[in-house]
Amino acid sequence: MDDQIRHPLAYARALRGWSQTDLADRIHHAARNRPEGLRSGTDKAAVSKWENWRKTPSIESQLLIAEAFDVPIADLETFEWPHWLPGQEQPVPLGVVFTVHALRDAQRAAMDHRRRTFMTFSALALAGLATQWAAIEPDRLTTALNGKHVDGELVDWLEDTSAKLTALPTEQRQHTAKLMDAHLDTVTDLLEHGRFTEPIGRRLHLLAASLASTCGWHRFDQGQHFAAGKLWNAALANAHAARDRDLGAGILSDFAYQSIWLTEPGAAVEPLSQALIHTRHPAARSLLHLRRARAHAALGAASDCHRDLAAAEAALLTDSSDPAPGWCRWMSTADLAVDSGQCMLDLGRTDEAHARIGEGMSLLPRSRDKTRGIFLTYEARSLLQAREVEHALAVTNQSLDLATRIGAERCVTLVRELAPAFKPYRQVDGVADLMDRLKAS
């Protein structure tokens, strides 16, 4: 292990603003506070050895380190050193040495989602992560020196099985989330303990990135935003290690979409701008421009929004001999029309919004149920703004039925957010029933 690569302990310590001496002092304090009155021999030199990968702390020292960082003992039982160390709300930095740590950190976040459901990376943290991705050259992958040999046949099977799980219809994918998590855990174990060639290592990192991205979307759909962000951080780290720029751009776009969804559009602009610099496929550029247009609209920046919408349309109409990357292969004129309509809603242009959303809904294929559920809520909002209450009521009920059937909690939440707009119309037949449904959902 390269001594110059930052150890997760140094990273966790820096997040708290502690020096190596500070950490040693806190370990001493934790030992003294034990009922048995322990003494620790930890000093700055010992901390330095741990952080320079020259020595692993004993179990007793790890228990004291955990106490110093306020990490639950259960985390030590579940994850090996140093993967249980805290990352707080900050993203794990990019670099091959951090790929497994990012994956383990994401697993911890997924287990702990109830405590930090709505916490997300800050705009500054996301901008820093995007800049790292754009500016830092990926480390050269090295062959693992220990563990069992990982051959191409095993990776073939993992890739094939993961692709089949991902390709399931939306309604069925809600039942396979645990299988995807298990696949990701298996790939993480292989990266951490396996012995493989550089080409196999690149495939494993690429598979880890794809699986972490998919698992992140599942957490996002369930409203587990902190866990989703941690999984996408792990996905970006592994895509970076595999030198897949297109996939990395897609993951930055996922971060941006989450920020827009959580009404933090200012955090979305920089990641999307960095992704656009390093992405060339027209479908990818169209989606990135469209999402940046959504961010600009939410910020009230009309001219920037229209500029990005025009660029998104031009890119979507551009032919390419290469297939679109998997993360944006679904991008279509329906997405462009509906998201353009949502931009118009944010900019206060209700009539134009209603027309564009209606156009997009008519173009959307039946296979994309989750997207249809989201688009239906956009349509309902535009109808309410146009005071077409009965039509909005029918569309909202349809959206709630669909969101409930496919098990997408964030879609249900989006429908619930329509409730205040319906309140002035409680006397309209069916509105009171809808409000009761929303309370019970």
Side-chain angles (χ1 to χ4, degrees):
M1 191 71 70
D2 189 341
D3 289 352
Q4 301 305 310
I5 297 295
R6 201 178 195 192
H7 192 284
L9 179 60
Y11 179 62
R13 177 175 56 74
L15 287 174
R16 300 291 180 94
W18 298 347
S19 67
Q20 290 179 338
T21 301
D22 290 335
L23 177 56
D25 288 344
R26 289 173 184 274
I27 291 171
H28 282 292
H29 180 72
R32 287 194 302 270
N33 281 352
R34 289 291 182 87
E36 58 271 32
L38 297 178
R39 296 185 64 182
S40 172
T42 302
D43 56 14
K44 179 181 177 182
V47 174
S48 178
K49 288 179 181 177
W50 296 338
E51 293 184 353
N52 285 304
W53 307 94
R54 292 201 296 270
K55 189 174 181 180
T56 298
S58 66
I59 296 299
E60 291 76 14
S61 292
Q62 289 189 41
L63 289 169
L64 295 173
I65 294 169
E67 192 166 334
F69 282 109
D70 196 26
V71 173
I73 299 301
D75 283 5
L76 278 70
E77 297 170 349
T78 305
F79 301 102
E80 297 179 7
W81 171 268
H83 305 307
W84 53 261
L85 287 164
Q88 298 194 36
E89 78 281 2
Q90 298 296 318
V92 175
L94 303 184
V96 170
V97 73
F98 286 113
T99 53
V100 171
H101 181 60
L103 290 163
R104 297 300 188 203
D105 192 43
Q107 289 174 323
R108 289 180 59 215
M111 290 169 58
D112 194 30
H113 69 85
R114 290 179 183 83
R115 193 155 57 93
R116 294 181 286 187
T117 295
F118 294 103
M119 184 184 293
T120 57
F121 295 145
S122 67
L124 185 63
L126 277 183
L129 195 61
T131 301
Q132 279 190 64
W133 172 80
I136 299 176
E137 280 299 311
D139 303 331
R140 180 177 175 83
L141 292 175
T142 56
T143 301
L145 300 177
N146 299 305
K148 296 181 178 180
H149 177 66
V150 181
D151 60 24
E153 186 176 354
L154 174 59
V155 181
D156 287 343
W157 182 86
L158 287 167
E159 290 172 339
D160 183 59
T161 306
S162 299
K164 287 178 179 176
L165 288 171
T166 305
L168 287 172
T170 303
E171 188 172 351
Q172 295 180 24
R173 284 205 301 271
Q174 63 179 307
H175 305 300
T176 63
K178 290 183 179 179
L179 287 174
M180 296 295 287
D181 286 342
H183 262 59
L184 179 58
D185 190 38
T186 298
V187 174
T188 305
D189 283 342
L190 293 175
L191 284 169
E192 186 172 14
H193 302 297
R195 179 167 53 86
F196 42 79
T197 63
E198 182 170 336
I200 291 294
R202 184 160 290 138
R203 288 174 64 188
L204 286 172
H205 280 295
L206 195 57
L207 184 54
S210 176
L211 286 165
S213 176
T214 301
C215 291
W217 271 100
H218 173 72
R219 296 312 193 287
F220 179 45
D221 285 340
Q222 297 306 308
Q224 299 171 21
H225 297 293
F226 181 70
K230 287 290 189 178
L231 282 158
W232 288 334
N233 184 188
L236 185 64
N238 280 274
H240 185 72
R243 299 176 181 268
D244 192 320
R245 280 288 191 188
D246 274 331
L247 182 55
I251 295 161
L252 287 176
S253 176
D254 294 340
F255 276 120
Y257 185 84
Q258 182 189 45
S259 296
I260 296 167
W261 186 273
L262 295 176
T263 66
E264 296 177 1
V269 176
E270 179 63 20
L272 289 168
S273 299
Q274 291 287 3
L276 276 163
I277 293 171
H278 297 278
T279 309
R280 291 291 170 262
H281 196 281
R285 294 187 63 79
S286 179
L287 178 58
L288 294 170
H289 276 296
L290 184 58
R291 287 184 171 171
R292 195 168 67 174
R294 287 283 306 274
H296 285 313
L299 292 167
S303 59
D304 289 333
C305 172
H306 287 296
R307 191 179 303 114
D308 269 325
L309 287 178
E313 183 175 11
L316 191 61
L317 296 174
T318 302
D319 292 327
S320 176
S321 57
D322 298 322
W327 58 270
C328 63
R329 201 162 290 158
W330 46 265
M331 177 63 184
S332 67
T333 53
D335 298 277
L336 179 62
V338 173
D339 276 347
S340 296
Q342 181 59 32
C343 288
M344 296 304 103
L345 277 181
D346 287 341
L347 294 173
R349 298 169 60 171
T350 304
D351 291 341
E352 188 175 354
H354 185 44
R356 291 196 186 189
I357 292 171
E359 175 192 354
M361 288 296 298
S362 68
L363 295 171
L364 190 70
R366 299 300 308 178
S367 59
R368 293 180 59 192
D369 282 347
K370 183 174 67 174
T371 302
R372 181 173 300 279
I374 294 170
F375 285 3
L376 284 168
T377 60
Y378 294 167
E379 184 179 21
R381 186 177 290 112
S382 70
L383 289 166
L384 282 166
Q385 290 189 9
R387 298 183 180 178
E388 297 182 31
V389 181
E390 290 85 357
H391 192 181
L393 180 64
V395 171
T396 302
N397 275 306
Q398 184 183 353
S399 178
L400 185 56
D401 289 341
L402 183 56
T404 303
R405 177 168 58 81
I406 65 176
E409 176 59 30
R410 75 178 171 102
C411 298
V412 175
T413 300
L414 197 62
V415 178
R416 286 196 200 104
E417 291 172 357
L418 294 173
F422 275 107
K423 281 185 177 179
Y425 305 104
R426 289 189 71 93
Q427 75 280 5
V428 175
D429 188 35
V431 169
D433 292 337
L434 172 63
M435 299 294 279
D436 289 341
R437 280 193 74 190
L438 292 177
K439 286 180 182 178
S441 63

